[in-house]
Amino acid sequence: MKITVLSLFPEILRGFFESSIMAKAVERGLMSCELVNIRDYAIDKHRKCDDEVFGGGAGMLMLPGPLSRALEAAGSSPCPPAGEASPEPGARKRTVFVTPSGRLFNQAMAAEFSREAELVIVCGRYEGVDQRVIDRYVTDEVSIGDYVLSSGEIAALVLVDAVYRLVPGVISGESLLEESFAASGGARAAALLEYPQYTRPALYDTLRVPEVLTSGHHANIVRWRLRESVRKTLAYRPELLAAEGLSSEVRKLLREIITEGGNDEPNTEDPGAANDGR
Ligand code: SAM
């Protein structure tokens, strides 16, 4: 997979692309990455890339010219003018603008992007980007959360990191199976949060690892982990348990946890009610 990131401050991104698993993935030919400085596509002598917002208001906006030229050079195709036939679905290079006003990013979106051969990501600055560039080149507007960062580089890194680790071969498929939000089928069959995990020593200070995990009893460990996943999801992200497709085992555990009052975390909602009677 190739990822191209367009930014006014590519040096913010460089360290990530040159270190850790990403560098190994590039070395192994699984990933290729390009950082593009949008300012290189400014044609005036001051290399100007921003200007005031029409209609007034605080702040500056990224100019359409330099960004459009950078996008064309990265291979993002413009959407056809009104009245002309749209290209086949998937024919346009996936071009993502990270923005707080986009669709909220999640694991399913990361998985979808990881199946693309190429991804172009645009980082905004100042008040953002002239809407005409978004309309012409951007296929997806994506937000990483309901807050405003000062620029798009960190958001782009969040996207890149969540996406490239799902590209086959980058990390072991097994490590991805029971991660948070992975609907891995079987009893789990829902995007649950991950269960708690422990490492050596089994007794740390006065704190002991749950006994079941050192018992060597595989079936009991699997059951315990599923139960803890359900408990944690109920505590922190109950809306995930209201989704379609919960296995009967998860629904049973959920009822047990709620009945026993075993969910001692802060949440008081009862998403199980949404699944009762299914
Ligand atoms: N005026 C914009 C608004 O109110 O929606 C905020 C602009 S923000 C200061 C500058 C840039 O940071 C944005 O263009 C975007 O690229 C990036 N950014 C900020 N918050 C983000 C978020 N939650 N998700 C994705 N990108 C974000």
Side-chain angles (χ1 to χ4, degrees), residues 18-257:
E18 289 172 358
S19 56
S20 185
I21 313 173
M22 175 59 93
K24 284 203 194 94
V26 171
E27 219 174 272
R28 289 162 62 209
L30 298 169
M31 292 295 305
S32 94
C33 306
E34 193 180 350
L35 295 178
V36 174
N37 190 337
I38 299 165
R39 205 170 294 281
D40 291 344
Y41 293 86
I43 47 183
D44 70 310
K45 71 173 178 186
H46 300 295
R47 301 176 81 209
K48 186 176 157 79
C49 283
D50 61 290
D51 210 328
E52 292 165 352
V53 183
F54 276 128
M60 305 293 269
L61 209 57
M62 284 168 67
L63 289 171
L67 182 54
S68 297
R69 286 188 286 277
L71 280 162
E72 293 272 351
S76 293
S77 38
C79 79
E84 281 184 27
S86 307
E88 294 288 302
R92 288 178 70 205
K93 197 174 283 187
R94 209 73 185 256
T95 301
V96 180
F97 173 46
V98 285
T99 166
S101 56
R103 262 196 312 153
L104 209 50
F105 190 53
N106 62 18
Q107 189 68 12
M109 228 187 271
E112 189 190 323
F113 288 150
S114 75
R115 291 190 283 272
E116 297 287 329
E118 284 194 48
L119 201 60
V120 175
I121 303 177
V122 178
C123 304
R125 265 265 158 171
Y126 319 116
E127 287 310 312
V129 166
D130 187 290
Q131 184 63 36
R132 291 165 292 184
V133 186
I134 299 173
D135 294 342
R136 184 171 282 179
Y137 294 98
V138 168
T139 58
D140 302 83
E141 291 181 74
V142 175
S143 164
I144 63 156
D146 293 344
Y147 40 78
V148 179
L149 304 168
S150 50
S151 73
E153 285 73 20
I154 290 169
L157 284 183
V158 168
L159 237 78
V160 171
D161 197 11
V163 168
Y164 93 101
R165 63 195 294 285
L166 300 180
V167 170
V170 170
I171 57 176
S172 111
E174 208 179 309
S175 337
L176 304 174
L177 277 182
E178 292 195 346
E179 283 188 328
S180 298
F181 312 113
S184 49
R188 197 172 149 94
L192 303 177
L193 301 186
E194 194 177 56
Y195 45 79
Q197 298 187 89
Y198 303 84
T199 183
R200 291 188 181 84
L203 178 65
Y204 170 68
D205 195 4
T206 57
L207 306 171
R208 189 174 291 285
V209 167
E211 215 173 298
V212 60
L213 298 178
T214 53
S215 68
H217 193 301
H218 182 65
N220 283 352
I221 294 172
V222 170
R223 251 193 309 277
W224 182 89
R225 285 180 166 168
L226 183 61
R227 188 184 176 87
E228 291 307 307
S229 272
V230 173
R231 190 194 303 281
K232 188 156 189 193
T233 310
L234 178 61
Y236 292 124
R237 298 292 305 276
E239 78 281 6
L240 296 176
L241 292 166
E244 291 291 323
L246 290 189
S247 68
S248 54
E249 197 173 348
V250 168
R251 273 185 280 150
K252 183 164 167 272
L253 281 170
L254 190 55
R255 274 194 292 272
E256 277 174 24
I257 292 167

